[in-house]
Amino acid sequence: MKRGMLMPKKREAVWILWFIMGSVAVAGDFYVSSSVGDDSFPGSEQQPFRTIQRAMTEVDGAGGTVHLMPNEIFREKINIRSGGTETHPLIIEGNGAVVHLGRNVSNGPWTKIGEEYRLEQEVPPHQRHYTTSPLFIDGLPVWAEHPKGLGKPAWHGGSLRYDEAGKMVVRFPKGLSPENSSIVLVGRDLDPVVHGSGGKHVIIRDLTVAFAGNDGFNFHNRCIGFKLVRVRALFNGDQGISSHGESEVVVELSEVAFNGSQSAGVVDINNARTGYRDLLNHQNRNAGFLLKGSRHRLEAVVSFGNPGGDLPEETDSVVLVDCSAGVEKLPKHFPEWGSPEDLSNRMARFEELMPVD
């Protein structure tokens, strides 16, 4: 009798266990190709999704790996809200891909007005950037003249203002014009390329982000256990990498360069805890680092060509280990940069084009 009474309970327990296990999403691998993918596909290697965000709906919260097809270009923002778990992290394998939010406006049309050039495209008020760089000329960040005279950097690759019709009027760097330079507008919105609004256990590898209206990588609230490996944050309107709130972020073997923030290429504030190892941080519009969070550690960081200062001062909350300001001691994992002499020559060219006012 007792045995007969217990059997249904055992079956019920087994069914409940099966239901719980079946209701938990299992981490998997999903593939994305901007050239041959389709968001109606299953996201397999043979039938990849077209957009990264479609793949993120499968892994954000459950964990899993998003594989971007090698060396492809994507034009979309990546939003991370939940991340993964300790046993199943959310991983984005960039495989050398580039996420690029800019628009090439080299062909304008441009109208010459005295020593300036006007881009014949209206810029809506909410897209007019002042404390960031909305335009890049040959990779040089251009600063916008604030109506109240705010936000002028130490040096710049040209300047711009908005006329009464809302059009950009640009003063080009020395020796450059629309006829002989590449001109790129950053993303239309004040958004980062990669935005973490929370979550845990996220790894991003081998990905380049560029020409965001805001930061390249931006982490807010509580982004815990986020790790960036072999990433590049280049030519973004604001910071290359920025951590806020109570985020905990580690960056390794990466590069931050040519970003247009009036503050620094890397900005970590509030109660953020961050670590940077083997980082190359160079030629941003102002300083290399602004670290005002809870705890920061820089190890084997090389920083140069940042007019507002290359390395932060060591304090109780900022630890520097084997870091250098200048090109004499390059990270071993950046052989493509060539010799220190090559870098010095390149740096001199940028200083020529971006004079100190």
Side-chain angles (χ1 to χ4, degrees):
M1 184 67 177
K2 291 182 180 179
R3 183 177 180 182
M5 292 176 63
L6 287 173
M7 286 300 291
K9 292 184 179 181
K10 287 184 178 180
R11 286 196 297 269
E12 182 179 345
V14 171
W15 183 87
I16 292 173
L17 179 61
W18 174 86
F19 177 80
I20 292 174
M21 293 179 65
S23 65
V24 175
V26 178
D29 290 82
F30 298 91
Y31 295 80
V32 187
S33 171
S34 60
S35 59
V36 299
D38 192 304
D39 282 350
S40 66
F41 287 167
S44 64
E45 189 170 6
Q46 294 74 29
Q47 292 185 298
F49 295 134
R50 183 180 65 84
T51 65
I52 301 170
Q53 278 307 124
R54 173 64 184 88
M56 291 295 290
T57 63
E58 301 288 341
V59 299
D60 195 10
T65 303
V66 175
H67 302 267
L68 307 187
M69 290 302 180
N71 304 313
E72 288 199 348
I73 296 177
F74 295 84
R75 297 185 179 277
E76 60 177 300
K77 293 170 283 190
I78 303 174
N79 295 310
I80 302 170
R81 298 179 176 87
S82 301
T85 67
E86 188 172 2
T87 55
H88 294 105
L90 190 164
I91 302 173
I92 299 176
E93 293 285 6
N95 296 310
V98 176
V99 183
H100 181 313
L101 300 184
R103 293 180 291 142
N104 193 309
V105 293
S106 300
N107 294 328
W110 294 90
T111 300
K112 195 173 191 309
I113 305 174
E115 296 183 354
E116 300 174 313
Y117 293 85
R118 183 177 64 214
L119 177 61
E120 300 297 346
Q121 298 181 18
E122 182 180 353
V123 180
H126 71 281
Q127 294 177 0
R128 297 174 192 172
H129 307 237
Y130 293 107
T131 60
T132 62
S133 295
L135 190 74
F136 284 77
I137 300 175
D138 275 3
L140 310 176
V142 176
W143 66 275
E145 298 177 4
H146 196 282
K148 297 182 180 180
L150 305 175
K152 190 173 182 179
W155 51 255
H156 56 84
S159 63
L160 66 85
R161 58 184 174 84
Y162 299 98
D163 66 12
E164 294 180 355
K167 296 180 179 180
M168 285 184 176
V169 180
V170 182
R171 184 178 294 272
F172 277 66
K174 180 181 177 181
L176 297 181
S177 71
E179 289 77 26
N180 65 0
S181 57
S182 174
I183 310 164
V184 178
L185 276 174
V186 298
R188 294 178 181 272
D189 300 314
L190 287 170
D191 291 329
V193 177
V194 177
H195 180 219
S197 58
K200 297 181 179 181
H201 308 298
V202 174
I203 301 171
I204 302 175
R205 289 192 284 245
D206 298 299
L207 182 68
T208 295
V209 298
F211 296 111
N214 196 275
D215 305 334
F217 294 92
N218 177 287
F219 305 109
H220 267 78
N221 302 321
R222 286 179 56 83
C223 293
I224 307 299
F226 278 52
K227 187 173 185 179
L228 310 181
V229 183
R230 293 186 302 275
V231 302
R232 284 179 164 176
L234 312 175
F235 310 113
N236 295 289
D238 208 355
Q239 292 113 37
I241 301 175
S242 183
S243 298
H244 302 247
E246 298 182 0
S247 295
E248 297 179 0
V249 180
V250 173
V251 182
E252 298 180 347
L253 304 167
S254 296
E255 179 182 13
V256 174
F258 312 118
N259 297 288
S261 171
Q262 71 169 4
S263 53
V266 173
V267 175
D268 299 333
I269 59 174
N270 305 128
N271 293 317
R273 294 172 175 262
T274 58
Y276 297 88
R277 182 176 66 83
D278 288 309
L279 178 77
L280 191 60
N281 185 11
H282 61 99
Q283 292 164 301
N284 297 286
R285 194 179 92 171
N286 203 344
F289 294 89
L290 175 63
L291 304 178
K292 298 292 185 180
S294 176
R295 185 74 174 170
H296 312 284
R297 178 183 174 88
L298 278 61
E299 182 176 351
V301 168
V302 176
S303 185
F304 69 90
N306 302 291
D310 290 316
L311 291 172
E313 292 186 5
E314 193 160 14
T315 66
D316 291 341
S317 60
V318 178
V319 177
L320 306 182
V321 179
D322 196 25
C323 298
S324 61
V327 298
E328 294 79 15
K329 188 176 181 182
L330 296 178
K332 295 180 180 179
H333 59 282
F334 281 109
E336 67 269 27
W337 284 105
S339 67
E341 291 76 18
D342 293 335
L343 273 176
S344 294
N345 292 335
R346 181 176 178 180
M347 185 172 166
R349 170 62 175 160
F350 275 86
E351 289 177 346
E352 176 187 348
L353 293 174
M354 297 181 172
V356 175
D357 291 331

